[in-house]
Amino acid sequence: DRVSFACSNYVKQILGKQFVEFVSFDLKRAHEKSLAAKKYRPVLIINSSNIDPWPYIEQLAGNKPLLQISLGKGQISRAKEKVLKGVNEGYWVYLGNMHLSKAFMKELERIIEYINSQSVKNSNFQLFLSTKAVSYIPLSLLHECVKITLEPSKGIQPNMHKIINNLIPEYA
C-alpha cells in the first residue's frame, strides 16, 4: 500500500498530477475523435474487468439505430452481416467480447480496410468494439481504432465522478 502511494507521489512530482489523477470513461469524447478523423476509425473499448460497456453505448446512441452482437463460437458470420448492414444503412454496431473470437480479428481488419476504401459508407455508421486486453489483437487493428479503457474506479472520489459524469443530462 505504501509503495503504491510512494510511486504515485513520485510520478506526480516528476511528470505532473495529470498522470496520476482519475480520468473517467468518456465514450462521447472517443466517439467524437472517431468522427473527426480523416478516415474511418472504430472505437475500441479495452475492458480490464467484467464491466459491460453496452449501457454506455446505448445511452450515447440515444435514438440512433443500434445493432449488438456478443462474439464467441459461431458468431463470426452474424457479426460480419451486422457490420455490413450498419455500413450500408447507417446503424451503430457494437461487437462485444472480441477476445473470444481470435479468428475474427484478422477478418475485422479487412472489413475496416474495406470501409475505408468505400465512399458509399453511410455517414451515420459507427462501430464500437470491446475486448479484454489480450496479446493477439493485431497491431494494425489497434492502430486503426480510437482506444479507450474501461476500468473499475478505485476510491470514493473517482466513483463519485463516474456517477456524476454518467447522469442523464436532464437529471444532472
Side-chain angles (χ1 to χ4, degrees):
D1 194 36
R2 290 181 188 169
V3 173
S4 175
F5 179 73
C7 289
S8 291
N9 271 344
Y10 178 78
V11 170
K12 187 192 285 185
Q13 289 174 359
I14 301 300
L15 299 175
K17 69 179 185 176
Q18 71 270 21
F19 288 93
V20 293
E21 287 182 338
F22 171 75
V23 177
S24 68
F25 177 71
D26 193 349
L27 187 60
K28 183 177 181 181
R29 188 166 142 234
H31 170 62
E32 289 167 354
K33 283 176 77 173
S34 171
L35 295 177
K38 291 182 181 177
K39 63 179 186 171
Y40 180 72
R41 298 183 70 195
V43 175
L44 175 63
I45 302 164
I46 301 171
N47 258 338
S48 67
S49 62
N50 291 328
I51 301 173
D52 185 12
W54 172 249
Y56 299 102
I57 295 168
E58 203 172 26
Q59 180 181 356
L60 182 63
N63 294 329
K64 294 176 181 73
L66 184 59
L67 302 172
Q68 173 197 23
I69 188 164
S70 182
L71 290 169
K73 192 172 185 175
Q75 298 299 318
I76 292 175
S77 61
R78 289 186 60 219
K80 285 192 279 190
E81 287 172 16
K82 289 189 184 231
V83 171
L84 294 175
K85 182 175 183 170
V87 167
N88 294 324
E89 298 178 27
Y91 285 48
W92 281 21
V93 180
Y94 169 59
L95 303 179
N97 299 323
M98 285 187 35
H99 58 279
L100 298 177
S101 189
K102 185 177 179 180
F104 181 62
M105 291 194 192
K106 285 286 185 191
E107 184 73 28
L108 186 59
E109 283 181 294
R110 288 189 288 276
I111 291 170
I112 293 170
E113 286 175 18
Y114 168 77
I115 292 168
N116 279 321
S117 70
Q118 301 298 309
S119 59
V120 294
K121 176 185 75 72
N122 189 305
S123 62
N124 294 321
F125 170 71
Q126 180 64 58
L127 179 60
F128 294 92
L129 312 166
S130 76
T131 183
K132 289 189 176 182
V134 290
S135 62
Y136 49 82
I137 299 173
L139 288 177
S140 59
L141 182 60
L142 287 172
H143 180 72
E144 291 295 321
C145 295
V146 173
K147 293 158 288 297
I148 186 170
T149 59
L150 180 58
E151 300 174 334
S153 304
K154 294 178 181 156
I156 294 172
Q157 183 180 9
N159 276 309
M160 292 304 293
H161 281 291
K162 188 175 183 179
I163 290 167
I164 291 168
N165 287 337
N166 289 316
L167 285 175
I168 299 171
E170 62 251 21
Y171 299 112

